[in-house]
Amino acid sequence: MRWLFFALMLFAALPAHAVQPDEILDDPKLEARAREIGKELRCLVCQNQSIDDSDADLARDLRVLVRERLVEGDSNQEVIDYVVSRYGDFVLLNPPFKLKTYALWFGPGILILFGIGTVFLFFRRRSTNDAPVGQKTLSAAEKERLARLLDEDDR
Amino acid sequence: MNRLFYILPLAAFLVIGGYLAVGLTLDPQKLPSMLEGEPVPAFDLQGLKGRDEQGFANTDLMGEVSLVNVFGSWCVACRVEHPFLMKIKENGWVPVHGIDWREPNRDAGPDWLRRHGDPYTLVGDDPKSKAAIAFGVTGAPETFVVDKQGTIRYKHVGPIDQKVWTETLKPLIDHLREQGG
C-alpha cells in the first residue's frame, strides 16, 4: 500500500515555479496571464531561466511589475513591449522574427539545403566519373577493334 | 573544381569555429543598453533615510552632466568601486547621484554610506527595483552618463576604476560639456 502511495506521489509532482504566494494575484484570469508572460521573459541574472522559474531578486521584481501592469489594465503585449523597451530583444526567450534575426531563423535551413546539395553533387559526380569524360559511345574504329578482340577470344 | 570540393568542409569548419571562438571571449552579462540616446526614464524615488528629504526623481537630472550610479550595501563590486567614486567627489570632477538598489531595510543603505564614506549628491532608495527596471539595470554596479538635457549618453556595466574613467567616462563628459549637451 505504501509503495502505491509513493508511486502516485511521483505523478502528483508538479513543475516547480519560483512564483511566491505573496506575489499571486487574487484574480485567477490575470494570474494566468501573468504566468504566460513570465514564461516568455528571460531572467537577466540567470540567463537561461524565465522569470517564472528564477529565484533571483530581479526576477521577482519583474514578476511583480508584470502583475502591477496587468492590474492597471495593460494587455499582455503592452507589458512585454515595456520590458523589451528596457532590456532589448534579449529578454524574449523566443527571438522575434526581424531583419537582425533572419540568420538565426533561416541559418539552419540554409545549412541543411547546402548539405543535401553537397551530398547530391558528390554522388552524381562519382557515378558519371566512371565513364570517359565527353564521350558516351564508341567510335567506328573502336567498335571494329572491340569486335576483333572479342573474336580473338572466341578462338 | 574537385580540389575545392575537398577544401570546402575545412573552410566551413574554420568559419564556424572562428565565430564560436570569438563568441567564447564575449561576456554574456554585457548587454547593449536600450536607453543610450534616450531620455532618462521617469522615476520618483523616496530619498535615503536621514539624507535626502526631497527624494530623487528624473527631473533632478536636468541642467548639468552627471553620473547615475546603481549600488547596494549587499553588492561586493560596489565596495570595490567605492574608493574611486570618493575620488571623483573629492576632486569635484562630476556630480554622482546614487540609486540605492534592493536594500533589505531602510537603514542598510545609510549605514553603508556612513561606514565607507558618501560620494553621492542625491540618493534615492529603490527597494522594489522600480527605477532599476526602468533603467534596464541587470546588476550592480551600473553607471549611466546623463547630459544636460537629461538624455542617457552611456551605460557602464561593472565597477568604475581609473582606467574606465580616463579612457571612457572623462573624454565623454568633457565632450558633452563642450557641446553644451
Side-chain angles (χ1 to χ4, degrees), chain B residues 71-75 78-79 82 103 107-117 119-120:
Chain B
F71 73 103
S73 66
W74 47 270
C75 157
C78 301
R79 182 77 193 86
H82 189 267
E103 293 297 355
D107 292 317
D111 283 350
W112 194 78
L113 291 180
R114 214 167 295 130
R115 214 164 339 124
H116 301 299
Y120 300 108

Side-chain angles (χ1 to χ4, degrees), chain B residues 30-44:
Chain B
K30 284 216 168 94
L31 304 172
S33 175
M34 292 298 286
L35 291 154
E36 277 167 25
E38 298 283 321
V40 169
F43 67 90
D44 191 1

Side-chain angles (χ1 to χ4, degrees), chain B residues 140-180:
Chain B
E142 275 185 24
T143 306
F144 296 84
V145 180
V146 180
D147 71 11
K148 264 183 198 164
Q149 278 84 37
T151 304
I152 295 177
R153 290 311 183 119
Y154 183 72
K155 164 175 151 174
H156 177 77
V157 177
I160 297 174
D161 53 19
Q162 186 67 52
K163 186 165 180 285
V164 172
W165 173 259
T166 328
E167 287 176 11
T168 315
L169 298 181
K170 187 176 185 302
L172 177 63
I173 291 167
D174 289 347
H175 174 72
L176 290 174
R177 279 178 177 156
E178 268 167 39
Q179 272 191 332

Side-chain angles (χ1 to χ4, degrees), chain A residues 33-120:
Chain A
R33 281 172 59 200
R35 294 291 171 95
E36 223 173 275
I37 296 170
K39 276 187 214 120
E40 292 286 314
L41 296 176
R42 184 193 300 273
C43 167
L44 281 307
V45 183
C46 325
Q47 297 188 344
N48 283 328
Q49 282 187 309
S50 71
I51 59 167
D52 244 23
D53 292 333
S54 173
D55 288 321
D57 292 333
L58 183 57
R60 178 196 159 89
D61 288 344
L62 278 165
R63 287 196 298 269
V64 171
L65 173 111
V66 164
R67 282 162 177 76
E68 279 173 6
R69 293 206 153 231
L70 286 178
V71 170
E72 280 164 22
D74 275 16
S75 71
N76 289 18
Q77 196 55 48
E78 280 169 339
V79 175
I80 289 173
D81 286 348
Y82 173 75
V83 180
V84 169
S85 75
R86 302 294 117 188
Y87 289 104
D89 289 336
F90 182 73
V91 287
L92 299 173
L93 284 168
N94 271 322
F97 189 70
K98 57 190 211 181
L99 192 64
K100 260 175 94 177
T101 59
Y102 279 175
L104 188 67
W105 285 97
F106 293 131
I110 290 171
L111 273 180
I112 267 222
L113 284 181
F114 180 75
I116 291 173
T118 308
V119 169
F120 179 75

